[in-house]
Structure formats: C-alpha cells, structure tokens
Amino acid sequence: MSEAESYPVTNRNKVKRKPQRGSYDKQAVYDILDSAMICHIAYVIDGQPYCTPTSFWREGDDLIWHGSSASRMVRAQSGGVPVCLTVTHLDAVILARCGFNHSVNYRSVMAYGTAHIVDDLDEKHKLIDAFLDRFFPGRAATMRPATVQEVKATTFIRMKIDDASAKVRDLHIADDEEDYAWPAWTALYPVKQVIGPAEECPRQLPDVKMPEGMAGWTPGRKLDEVMLEMYREHYEK
Amino acid sequence: MSEAESYPVTNRNKVKRKPQRGSYDKQAVYDILDSAMICHIAYVIDGQPYCTPTSFWREGDDLIWHGSSASRMVRAQSGGVPVCLTVTHLDAVILARCGFNHSVNYRSVMAYGTAHIVDDLDEKHKLIDAFLDRFFPGRAATMRPATVQEVKATTFIRMKIDDASAKVRDLHIADDEEDYAWPAWTALYPVKQVIGPAEECPRQLPDVKMPEGMAGWTPGRKLDEVMLEMYREHYEK
C-alpha cells in the first residue's frame, strides 16, 4: 500500500487492543466517516478532557464541525488545539457462551489532528452551504440566504486528519472451541439506525413539494447508508 | 430541587451553548445513561486527547466500563485520571427554512469524574456477571463460569460521577417567524436505533431454548427502550 493510500501508524493511532480489527487504509477510514451524521470529539481544557457530540462532515482530508463551548478555547490558541474525532456505528450485539466472548459488531474511526477556528467570512458562507448539501444534496440553493449576522454567529472548526485508524468487528459468535458444548443460548442481534417517514412542518406552504434531492431519504432506510449515498451524490458527482 | 436530586453546576458541566436545553437533574441523567449500550469516553495522555467508544453501565452514581488502551495509563496514576463519559441518542433530523435553524433532536449526557482501575479479583468477578445481567437479565447464571485467567485478563474501570449534565432537544422545526413565508420544503425525519431478529449461533445445541430474560429483546424495538427496560429489570426488581 502506498503512503498516499494509508495513514502513518503512530503511537496515538496504533490499534493496540485487538489489532487484527484495525486498519489504516484511507478509504476504509473515509467510508466510516462519510456514513455518519454525528461524531464525538475529545479535547482538553486545563487538563480536563471533554467529549462533545456534534454533527460534522469531511472535505478531502479535512473534518469540519460546528463550534461548541470549546470554541473560545480553540480561538485562544493561535497554533490550534489537539483533538480526537471519533465515529462509531453499532451493527450487532453478540451473546456468547461465556462472559469473556460477549461482544458487539461495530465500525469505528478515531481521527487525530489540530483544530483551528475558521475566521474568513467567505469561507464560512461556503461552509454553511456545504454543511447543508453534504446531507441534503441541492438544499442550500433553496434556503432563505444566510444573513451576515448568522454567518458571524456560526462557528466552524476545521481539522486536517494527521493520522487515523479504523476498527471493525464483523463476525458472528466466536467462542473458544471447547465451549461450544456448553448449553447456553447464544445469538447475534442485528442493530441498525433507521430513518422514519418525513413529518412535514405543520406550517408548510401549500404549493411546496419535497425536492428531488431528498429521494434517497426513504422511510426505513439505514441512516449510515443514506449518509454515504448523499455524500457521494454531493462530492463525487 | 434538593442537592441529592441534582448535580452541582460547575464550570465543566455547565451547559453554555443553548442552556435552555440543559438539565442537572440526576434522574434525567440516569435515564439517558441507562438507555445506552455504548458511550464515548474522553481522556488525556501526555496532553493528547483520546475519544474511545465502549460499552458501559451504571451502578448507583458509578459508571463502569471495560479497559481500553488507556488502562495502562489509568493504572500508572494512583490518584486516578480525569475523564468525561458521553452518551448520545439521535432522535430526529430537522430541515428548516434557513441553514441556521437546521438541527437534530437528541438526548445526551456528559458525565465527569476520576477513573480508577478495579484490581480486586472478587469485585471483578461480580462485575463480569453484572455486565452481562445489566443487558441480558439472568444471563450470567447460564454462562460457562469465568476462569481465573479470564478474570485477570479483564480490566474494568470505575468512575464515580462527580458532576454531569443532560442536554435534550425535542422540538419540531423552529424557524424565525418571518421565515415561514419562505417557500422551502421543511420536515422532521425521525431516527431510531432498532434491534433485528436474533440470529442464533449456527452451532447452537439442539435442546437449548431462548431464556425468558430475553423476552424484551423483540425484533423492531428501539435499542434505547430495551436498554432502559433491561436495566430496570435487573437493578430495580
């Protein structure tokens, strides 16, 4: 694998527990990130760690998210601040024949880099549109345009991924060979996050129709599949 | 509200952004935590933040989870290490008439405290059973018993919640009054995480039946509802 296709393995992104589940392949990392609407971000203020859930998206090797209560701290550090952005998709619960082999199936990414506030107003304006279109392709053009006030009040934080790793478990029950004779009931329960039917705004104007860009948001679909499809529709078409 | 019923508001758990969504009520915090199988934990090693997804559960005001690559670091600090444990349930996606009012409905908790490794073997043995029974009531008694080797190889980390806050958005579209005349299509998409039908182990013994304790794990149910029900079945009956 060439350097361009995978992240360097560093002391921080190296998968230490269950290393066979780890991957440093960029496409594997991107696919897990692009399938998510929500991430969790760890940062430090005065030695205290914080873990904040937020919506985010990817542009190339950059991750971008909304400001949080950490924004002031990020702004105060002109060199940026170190963060770890994590995405987790839960796929199944595994009930084995002993406590030790109980597990879950999942796809996760931990991405590391230095976070900076986006200050340029033109760039922020573009990011507001990208933030919409990444999830709802073509939506930005149908919006009441953002006011200067709103653009100023919106904080975006941007981080180039310096290194990252993906970790995946995608197995059925994996008991120790000698345990298969033990008479415990064992099973895998699939887990999925799905979207329901659109509940239109009660004050929807009578002549407004659902735009074509929302065709992929059909009831019952997995949110991670919709997210990945919308991402590709917006960025790769 | 008495002190016993709510967490103290400190500089770290105070909800700064959208404070109207915040709560320090212990029962509100517990209900969000007890509805979750997975949390994200932020900790710091040498100034670098890490955000790790893991399974966890609550016993009174203590949160307990499986060891991770941070275990060595936690063990090395005899006084324990500061962590932030976060749970997030995504409930809906909100498409408004301007970018600024797009949002998601969610229930989240950020809990702060000092994490310690559990070293006592008897306590670890009990925790292995509690870890199973919290999610699958009565399951521990049906398991092939844990070996001393397994108990030694299992790391548990325990943290008393010093302070915490819950944050909830549970609204439909909330546009600015003057924007309701703007002809954009707007809607709320419900999101839920559901379990599927049990896929039994292909090597299930022929005379083994699904135990009664799994009756609540019925296909199509929301995982958060099942989690809360199982919690109460195990700890409150």
Side-chain angles (χ1 to χ4, degrees), chain A residues 49-106:
Chain A
Y50 292 84
C51 179
T52 307
T54 193
S55 190
F56 82 106
W57 80 103
R58 179 178 72 85
E59 286 188 348
D61 235 346
D62 279 9
L63 300 174
I64 304 148
W65 63 93
H66 235 180
S68 68
S69 49
S71 305
R72 226 176 325 172
M73 183 260 316
V74 177
R75 190 181 298 281
Q77 307 289 320
S78 58
V81 299
V83 305
C84 172
L85 184 151
T86 297
V87 156
T88 308
H89 304 284
L90 178 63
D91 293 324
V93 181
I94 310 290
L95 286 73
R97 289 167 179 82
C98 64
F100 204 71
N101 287 328
H102 279 66
S103 191
V104 294
N105 281 351
Y106 59 90

Side-chain angles (χ1 to χ4, degrees), chain A residues 85-157:
Chain A
L85 184 151
T86 297
V87 156
T88 308
H89 304 284
L90 178 63
D91 293 324
V93 181
I94 310 290
L95 286 73
R97 289 167 179 82
C98 64
F100 204 71
N101 287 328
H102 279 66
S103 191
V104 294
N105 281 351
Y106 59 90
R107 291 159 287 147
S108 70
V109 159
M110 293 172 71
Y112 303 89
T114 302
H116 299 269
I117 296 267
V118 177
D119 272 320
D120 183 78
L121 282 187
D122 286 341
E123 186 183 354
K124 283 170 76 172
H125 223 117
K126 281 181 199 144
L127 290 178
I128 288 174
D129 285 356
F131 196 7
L132 288 169
D133 286 339
R134 176 265 174 272
F135 296 113
F136 323 109
R139 184 161 184 81
T142 71
M143 291 289 94
R144 189 265 291 149
T147 65
V148 175
Q149 214 59 12
E150 284 174 343
V151 178
K152 282 186 177 167
T154 304
T155 308
F156 284 111
I157 296 178

Side-chain angles (χ1 to χ4, degrees), chain A residues 12 40 48 51 86 88 96-97 102 139 142 144 177 179 182 185-186 188 190 192 194 196 199 203-204, chain B residues 12 40 48 51 86 88 96 102 139 142 144 177 179 182 185-186 188 190 192 194 196 199 203-204:
Chain A
R12 66 181 176 185
H40 285 78
Q48 170 68 49
C51 179
T86 297
T88 308
R97 289 167 179 82
H102 279 66
R139 184 161 184 81
T142 71
R144 189 265 291 149
E177 191 50 43
D179 285 343
W182 186 269
W185 185 81
T186 55
L188 173 157
K192 57 181 180 178
V194 296
E199 299 173 9
R203 295 176 65 181
Q204 192 90 281
Chain B
R12 66 180 175 186
H40 286 78
Q48 169 68 49
C51 180
T86 297
T88 308
H102 278 67
R139 183 160 184 81
T142 71
R144 189 266 289 149
E177 191 50 43
D179 285 343
W182 187 269
W185 185 82
T186 53
L188 173 157
K192 57 182 180 176
V194 296
E199 299 172 8
R203 295 176 66 182
Q204 193 89 282

